[in-house]
Amino acid sequence: MTRPPTAAQRRVIDAADPVTGRLRGTESQLAALVKRELAFRHPRPPHDHFLTPAGHRIREETATPAASAPQAAEPAQEPARESSGVFAARIGGEEGIDSGPSRIREVHSAWQGLLELRRMTNPHGVVDRPCAWERTHLVQAAALALEAAGHRPAGTDGEGYRVRATPQPEAVAVRGPDAGALRECAATLEQAGWQVGEHTEPRTGARYLLASPRRI
């Protein structure tokens, strides 16, 4: 059985970029993580190191111990809060939505990083469909695709998109203020490699999207 990472190696894993998994550490630390198959060295310059899916799992276990709790599917579910200093896509419902130039740059950088992660981890380097990281972070991945395309997340006023977990495996629910906004969100997600269908809430009659990462 593989020995767990040392305290120093775990600190390197915990400090990895939450989207791309890019690592910072000494050459010996990074080499040890590669040997344990928790990281890999990018073959192209500048030969940065990135977490493997196994490394991401360790990071999630350390950084978000509550992530294994069951996720509610109700529209009123509280959005995940972002940690101080760590980028998090807007899933809708947050207070104090920032749409200024700095936020736009952050979102663009995160989306480009996610495309790079797709290129590095998907078979044959394809970037037109979600990667393993997105399949384990469905809500954040779908929200990032929407925010990067310029869609407005819902604030406390309720105007904008909301992305929420569902009981279905590998599926998120996306709600919008009107039918036109939903169609635009669907087009964006399809372009980002998601399968999207429109459904009706049985109790309220409200329309919403059910989106899943495309595999082929």
Side-chain angles (χ1 to χ4, degrees):
M1 186 172 179
T2 305
R3 289 182 294 113
T6 65
Q9 291 167 353
R10 191 173 288 275
R11 284 195 294 271
V12 173
I13 292 172
D14 292 345
D17 185 284
V19 175
T20 65
R22 181 180 279 110
L23 294 163
R24 304 287 184 198
T26 66
E27 285 298 323
S28 61
Q29 288 172 335
L30 296 174
L33 291 175
V34 171
K35 187 175 181 180
R36 292 168 180 258
E37 298 185 347
L38 299 176
F40 67 93
R41 184 174 183 266
H42 198 286
R44 294 165 61 180
H47 302 297
D48 285 334
H49 288 72
F50 297 83
L51 289 176
T52 62
H56 273 291
R57 284 195 294 273
I58 287 179
R59 184 181 185 279
E60 290 302 312
E61 290 168 3
T62 305
T64 56
S68 59
Q71 293 176 306
E74 293 300 317
Q77 175 190 353
E78 281 297 311
R81 302 300 178 187
E82 60 185 288
S83 302
S84 178
V86 177
F87 175 84
R90 305 295 192 195
I91 68 173
E94 297 91 344
E95 295 181 2
I97 295 293
D98 175 19
S99 58
S102 62
R103 178 64 186 180
I104 292 173
R105 287 193 297 269
E106 273 189 326
V107 173
H108 175 76
S109 177
W111 177 247
Q112 293 304 311
L114 185 55
L115 291 180
E116 177 68 4
L117 187 61
R118 287 183 179 187
R119 188 182 68 79
M120 291 187 300
T121 60
N122 275 342
H124 311 297
V126 298
V127 297
D128 61 351
R129 63 176 178 265
C131 62
W133 183 90
E134 291 169 271
R135 297 179 192 282
T136 58
H137 299 76
L138 294 170
V139 173
Q140 281 289 318
L144 177 56
L146 292 172
E147 192 176 1
H151 296 279
R152 183 178 184 272
T156 53
D157 59 3
E159 290 295 319
Y161 69 77
R162 292 175 184 266
V163 184
R164 296 293 184 268
T166 74
Q168 299 188 40
E170 290 207 354
V172 296
V174 180
R175 292 172 173 81
D178 53 54
L182 274 184
R183 285 194 296 270
E184 292 174 359
C185 287
T188 291
L189 290 171
E190 287 171 351
Q191 188 175 4
W194 293 66
Q195 296 179 125
V196 184
E198 191 169 334
H199 300 266
T200 301
E201 186 72 41
R203 289 177 297 177
T204 65
R207 300 292 287 173
Y208 69 96
L209 304 176
L210 199 62
S212 302
R214 184 166 54 84
R215 289 189 176 275
I216 300 175

Coordinates of all heavy atoms in Angstrom, one line a residue, residues 18-67:
P18 N -6.3 25.7 -7.5 CA -7.5 24.9 -7.4 C -8.1 24.5 -8.8 O -8.9 23.6 -8.9 CB -8.5 25.8 -6.6 CG -8.0 27.2 -6.9 CD -6.5 27.0 -7.0
V19 N -7.8 25.2 -9.8 CA -8.4 24.9 -11.2 C -7.4 24.1 -12.0 O -7.8 23.0 -12.4 CB -8.7 26.2 -11.9 CG1 -9.2 25.9 -13.3 CG2 -9.8 27.0 -11.2
T20 N -6.2 24.5 -12.2 CA -5.3 23.8 -13.0 C -4.5 22.7 -12.3 O -4.0 21.8 -12.9 CB -4.3 24.8 -13.7 OG1 -3.4 25.3 -12.6 CG2 -5.0 25.9 -14.4
G21 N -4.4 22.8 -11.0 CA -3.6 21.9 -10.2 C -2.1 22.1 -10.4 O -1.3 21.3 -10.0
R22 N -1.7 23.3 -10.8 CA -0.2 23.6 -10.9 C 0.4 23.7 -9.6 O -0.2 24.2 -8.6 CB -0.1 25.0 -11.7 CG 1.4 25.3 -11.8 CD 1.6 26.7 -12.6 NE 1.5 26.5 -14.0 CZ 0.4 27.0 -14.7 NH1 -0.5 27.6 -14.1 NH2 0.4 26.8 -16.0
L23 N 1.6 23.1 -9.4 CA 2.3 23.0 -8.2 C 3.5 23.9 -8.1 O 4.1 24.2 -9.1 CB 2.7 21.5 -8.0 CG 1.6 20.5 -7.8 CD1 2.2 19.1 -8.1 CD2 1.0 20.6 -6.4
R24 N 3.8 24.3 -6.8 CA 5.0 25.0 -6.5 C 5.7 24.3 -5.4 O 5.1 23.9 -4.4 CB 4.7 26.4 -6.0 CG 3.8 27.2 -7.0 CD 4.6 27.7 -8.2 NE 3.8 28.5 -9.1 CZ 4.1 28.8 -10.3 NH1 5.2 28.3 -10.9 NH2 3.4 29.6 -11.1
G25 N 7.0 24.0 -5.5 CA 7.7 23.3 -4.5 C 9.2 23.1 -5.0 O 9.6 23.5 -6.0
T26 N 10.0 22.5 -4.1 CA 11.4 22.2 -4.4 C 11.4 21.1 -5.5 O 10.4 20.3 -5.6 CB 12.2 21.8 -3.2 OG1 11.7 20.6 -2.7 CG2 12.0 22.9 -2.1
E27 N 12.5 20.9 -6.2 CA 12.6 19.9 -7.2 C 12.5 18.5 -6.5 O 11.8 17.6 -7.1 CB 14.0 20.0 -7.8 CG 14.1 21.1 -8.8 CD 13.1 21.0 -10.0 OE1 12.9 19.8 -10.4 OE2 12.6 22.0 -10.4
S28 N 13.0 18.3 -5.3 CA 12.9 17.0 -4.6 C 11.4 16.7 -4.2 O 11.0 15.6 -4.4 CB 13.8 17.0 -3.4 OG 13.4 18.0 -2.5
Q29 N 10.7 17.8 -3.8 CA 9.3 17.6 -3.4 C 8.5 17.2 -4.6 O 7.7 16.2 -4.6 CB 8.7 18.8 -2.8 CG 9.3 19.1 -1.4 CD 8.8 20.5 -0.8 OE1 8.6 21.4 -1.6 NE2 8.8 20.6 0.5
L30 N 8.7 17.9 -5.7 CA 7.9 17.7 -6.9 C 8.3 16.3 -7.5 O 7.4 15.5 -7.9 CB 8.2 18.8 -8.0 CG 7.7 20.2 -7.5 CD1 8.2 21.2 -8.5 CD2 6.2 20.2 -7.3
A31 N 9.5 15.9 -7.5 CA 10.0 14.6 -8.0 C 9.4 13.5 -7.2 O 8.9 12.5 -7.7 CB 11.5 14.5 -8.0
A32 N 9.3 13.7 -5.9 CA 8.7 12.7 -5.0 C 7.2 12.5 -5.3 O 6.7 11.4 -5.3 CB 8.9 13.1 -3.5
L33 N 6.5 13.6 -5.6 CA 5.1 13.5 -5.9 C 4.9 12.8 -7.2 O 3.9 12.1 -7.4 CB 4.5 14.9 -5.9 CG 4.4 15.6 -4.6 CD1 3.8 17.1 -4.7 CD2 3.4 14.9 -3.6
V34 N 5.8 13.1 -8.2 CA 5.7 12.4 -9.5 C 5.9 10.9 -9.3 O 5.2 10.1 -9.8 CB 6.7 13.0 -10.5 CG1 6.8 12.1 -11.7 CG2 6.4 14.4 -10.8
K35 N 6.9 10.5 -8.4 CA 7.2 9.1 -8.2 C 6.0 8.4 -7.5 O 5.7 7.2 -7.8 CB 8.4 9.0 -7.2 CG 8.9 7.6 -7.0 CD 10.1 7.6 -6.2 CE 10.6 6.1 -6.0 NZ 11.9 6.1 -5.2
R36 N 5.2 9.1 -6.7 CA 4.0 8.6 -6.1 C 2.8 8.6 -7.0 O 1.7 8.3 -6.6 CB 3.7 9.3 -4.8 CG 4.7 9.1 -3.7 CD 4.5 10.1 -2.5 NE 5.5 10.0 -1.5 CZ 5.2 9.4 -0.3 NH1 4.0 8.9 -0.1 NH2 6.1 9.2 0.6
E37 N 3.0 9.2 -8.2 CA 1.9 9.3 -9.2 C 0.8 10.3 -8.7 O -0.4 10.2 -9.0 CB 1.3 8.0 -9.5 CG 2.3 7.1 -10.2 CD 1.7 5.8 -10.7 OE1 0.5 5.5 -10.3 OE2 2.3 5.0 -11.4
L38 N 1.2 11.3 -7.9 CA 0.3 12.3 -7.4 C 0.5 13.6 -8.2 O -0.3 14.5 -8.1 CB 0.5 12.6 -5.9 CG 0.3 11.4 -5.0 CD1 0.7 11.8 -3.5 CD2 -1.1 10.9 -5.0
A39 N 1.5 13.6 -9.0 CA 1.8 14.8 -9.9 C 2.5 14.3 -11.2 O 2.9 13.1 -11.2 CB 2.7 15.8 -9.2
F40 N 2.4 15.1 -12.2 CA 3.2 14.8 -13.4 C 3.9 16.1 -13.9 O 3.4 17.2 -13.6 CB 2.2 14.3 -14.5 CG 1.2 15.3 -15.0 CD1 1.5 16.1 -16.1 CD2 0.0 15.4 -14.4 CE1 0.6 17.0 -16.6 CE2 -1.0 16.3 -14.9 CZ -0.7 17.1 -16.0
R41 N 4.9 15.9 -14.6 CA 5.7 17.0 -15.2 C 5.3 17.2 -16.6 O 5.3 16.3 -17.4 CB 7.2 16.7 -15.1 CG 8.2 17.8 -15.5 CD 9.6 17.3 -15.3 NE 10.6 18.4 -15.6 CZ 11.2 18.5 -16.8 NH1 10.9 17.6 -17.7 NH2 12.1 19.4 -17.0
H42 N 4.9 18.5 -16.9 CA 4.5 18.8 -18.2 C 5.6 18.6 -19.2 O 6.7 19.1 -18.9 CB 3.9 20.2 -18.3 CG 3.1 20.5 -19.5 ND1 3.6 20.6 -20.7 CD2 1.7 20.6 -19.6 CE1 2.6 20.8 -21.6 NE2 1.4 20.8 -20.9
P43 N 5.4 18.0 -20.3 CA 6.5 17.7 -21.3 C 7.0 18.9 -22.0 O 8.1 18.9 -22.6 CB 5.9 16.7 -22.2 CG 4.4 16.9 -22.2 CD 4.1 17.3 -20.8
R44 N 6.2 20.0 -22.0 CA 6.6 21.2 -22.8 C 7.1 22.3 -21.8 O 6.7 22.4 -20.7 CB 5.5 21.7 -23.6 CG 5.1 20.7 -24.7 CD 3.7 21.0 -25.3 NE 3.7 22.3 -25.9 CZ 2.6 22.8 -26.5 NH1 1.5 22.1 -26.5 NH2 2.6 24.0 -27.0
P45 N 8.1 23.1 -22.3 CA 8.6 24.2 -21.4 C 7.4 25.1 -21.0 O 6.5 25.3 -21.7 CB 9.5 25.0 -22.3 CG 9.9 24.0 -23.3 CD 8.7 23.1 -23.6
P46 N 7.4 25.6 -19.7 CA 8.5 25.6 -18.8 C 8.5 24.3 -17.9 O 9.1 24.3 -16.8 CB 8.3 26.8 -17.9 CG 6.8 26.9 -17.9 CD 6.3 26.5 -19.3
H47 N 7.9 23.2 -18.3 CA 7.9 22.0 -17.6 C 7.4 22.1 -16.2 O 8.0 21.6 -15.2 CB 9.4 21.4 -17.6 CG 9.9 21.1 -18.9 ND1 9.4 20.3 -19.8 CD2 11.0 21.7 -19.6 CE1 10.1 20.3 -21.0 NE2 11.1 21.1 -20.8
D48 N 6.3 22.8 -16.0 CA 5.7 22.9 -14.7 C 5.1 21.5 -14.3 O 4.9 20.6 -15.1 CB 4.5 23.9 -14.7 CG 5.0 25.3 -14.7 OD1 6.2 25.6 -14.2 OD2 4.3 26.2 -15.2
H49 N 4.9 21.4 -13.0 CA 4.3 20.2 -12.4 C 2.8 20.4 -12.1 O 2.5 21.5 -11.6 CB 5.1 19.8 -11.2 CG 6.4 19.2 -11.5 ND1 7.5 20.0 -11.9 CD2 6.9 17.9 -11.4 CE1 8.5 19.3 -12.1 NE2 8.2 18.0 -11.8
F50 N 2.0 19.4 -12.3 CA 0.6 19.5 -12.0 C 0.1 18.3 -11.3 O 0.6 17.2 -11.4 CB -0.2 19.6 -13.3 CG 0.1 20.9 -14.1 CD1 1.2 20.9 -15.0 CD2 -0.7 22.0 -14.0 CE1 1.5 22.0 -15.7 CE2 -0.4 23.1 -14.8 CZ 0.7 23.2 -15.6
L51 N -1.0 18.4 -10.5 CA -1.6 17.3 -9.8 C -2.2 16.3 -10.8 O -2.8 16.7 -11.8 CB -2.7 17.8 -8.8 CG -2.2 18.5 -7.6 CD1 -3.4 19.0 -6.8 CD2 -1.3 17.7 -6.7
T52 N -2.1 15.0 -10.5 CA -2.8 14.0 -11.2 C -4.2 13.9 -10.6 O -4.5 14.5 -9.5 CB -2.1 12.7 -11.1 OG1 -2.1 12.3 -9.7 CG2 -0.7 12.7 -11.7
P53 N -5.2 13.2 -11.2 CA -6.5 13.0 -10.5 C -6.3 12.4 -9.1 O -7.0 12.8 -8.2 CB -7.2 12.0 -11.4 CG -6.6 12.3 -12.8 CD -5.2 12.6 -12.5
A54 N -5.3 11.5 -8.8 CA -5.1 11.0 -7.5 C -4.6 12.2 -6.5 O -5.0 12.2 -5.4 CB -4.1 9.9 -7.5
G55 N -3.8 13.1 -7.1 CA -3.3 14.2 -6.3 C -4.5 15.1 -6.0 O -4.6 15.7 -4.8
H56 N -5.4 15.4 -6.9 CA -6.5 16.2 -6.7 C -7.4 15.6 -5.6 O -8.0 16.4 -4.8 CB -7.4 16.4 -8.0 CG -6.9 17.5 -8.9 ND1 -7.1 18.8 -8.5 CD2 -6.3 17.5 -10.1 CE1 -6.6 19.6 -9.5 NE2 -6.1 18.8 -10.4
R57 N -7.6 14.3 -5.6 CA -8.4 13.7 -4.5 C -7.8 13.9 -3.2 O -8.6 14.2 -2.2 CB -8.5 12.2 -4.8 CG -9.5 11.8 -6.0 CD -9.8 10.4 -5.9 NE -8.7 9.5 -6.2 CZ -8.3 9.2 -7.5 NH1 -9.0 9.6 -8.5 NH2 -7.3 8.4 -7.6
I58 N -6.5 13.8 -3.0 CA -5.9 14.1 -1.7 C -6.1 15.5 -1.3 O -6.4 15.8 -0.2 CB -4.4 13.7 -1.8 CG1 -4.2 12.2 -1.8 CG2 -3.6 14.3 -0.6 CD1 -2.8 11.7 -1.9
R59 N -5.9 16.4 -2.3 CA -6.1 17.9 -2.0 C -7.6 18.1 -1.5 O -7.8 18.9 -0.6 CB -5.8 18.7 -3.2 CG -5.9 20.2 -3.0 CD -5.6 21.0 -4.2 NE -5.6 22.4 -3.9 CZ -6.7 23.2 -3.8 NH1 -7.9 22.6 -4.0 NH2 -6.6 24.4 -3.5
E60 N -8.5 17.5 -2.2 CA -9.9 17.7 -1.8 C -10.2 17.1 -0.4 O -10.9 17.7 0.4 CB -10.9 17.0 -2.8 CG -10.9 17.7 -4.2 CD -11.3 19.1 -4.1 OE1 -12.3 19.4 -3.4 OE2 -10.6 20.0 -4.6
E61 N -9.6 16.0 -0.1 CA -9.8 15.4 1.2 C -9.3 16.3 2.3 O -9.8 16.4 3.4 CB -9.1 14.0 1.3 CG -9.8 12.9 0.4 CD -8.9 11.7 0.3 OE1 -7.8 11.7 0.9 OE2 -9.3 10.8 -0.4
T62 N -8.2 17.0 2.0 CA -7.5 17.8 3.0 C -8.2 19.2 3.1 O -8.5 19.7 4.2 CB -6.0 18.1 2.6 OG1 -5.4 16.8 2.5 CG2 -5.3 18.9 3.7
A63 N -8.5 19.8 1.9 CA -9.0 21.2 1.9 C -10.5 21.3 2.1 O -11.0 22.2 2.7 CB -8.7 21.8 0.6
T64 N -11.3 20.2 1.7 CA -12.7 20.3 1.8 C -13.3 19.0 2.4 O -13.9 18.3 1.7 CB -13.3 20.6 0.4 OG1 -12.9 19.5 -0.5 CG2 -12.9 21.9 -0.1
P65 N -13.1 18.8 3.7 CA -13.5 17.6 4.3 C -15.1 17.5 4.3 O -15.6 16.4 4.4 CB -13.0 17.7 5.8 CG -12.8 19.2 6.0 CD -12.4 19.7 4.7
A66 N -15.8 18.6 4.1 CA -17.2 18.5 4.1 C -17.8 18.2 2.7 O -19.0 18.0 2.5 CB -17.8 19.8 4.6
A67 N -16.9 18.0 1.7 CA -17.3 17.8 0.3 C -18.0 16.5 0.1 O -18.8 16.4 -0.8 CB -16.1 17.9 -0.6

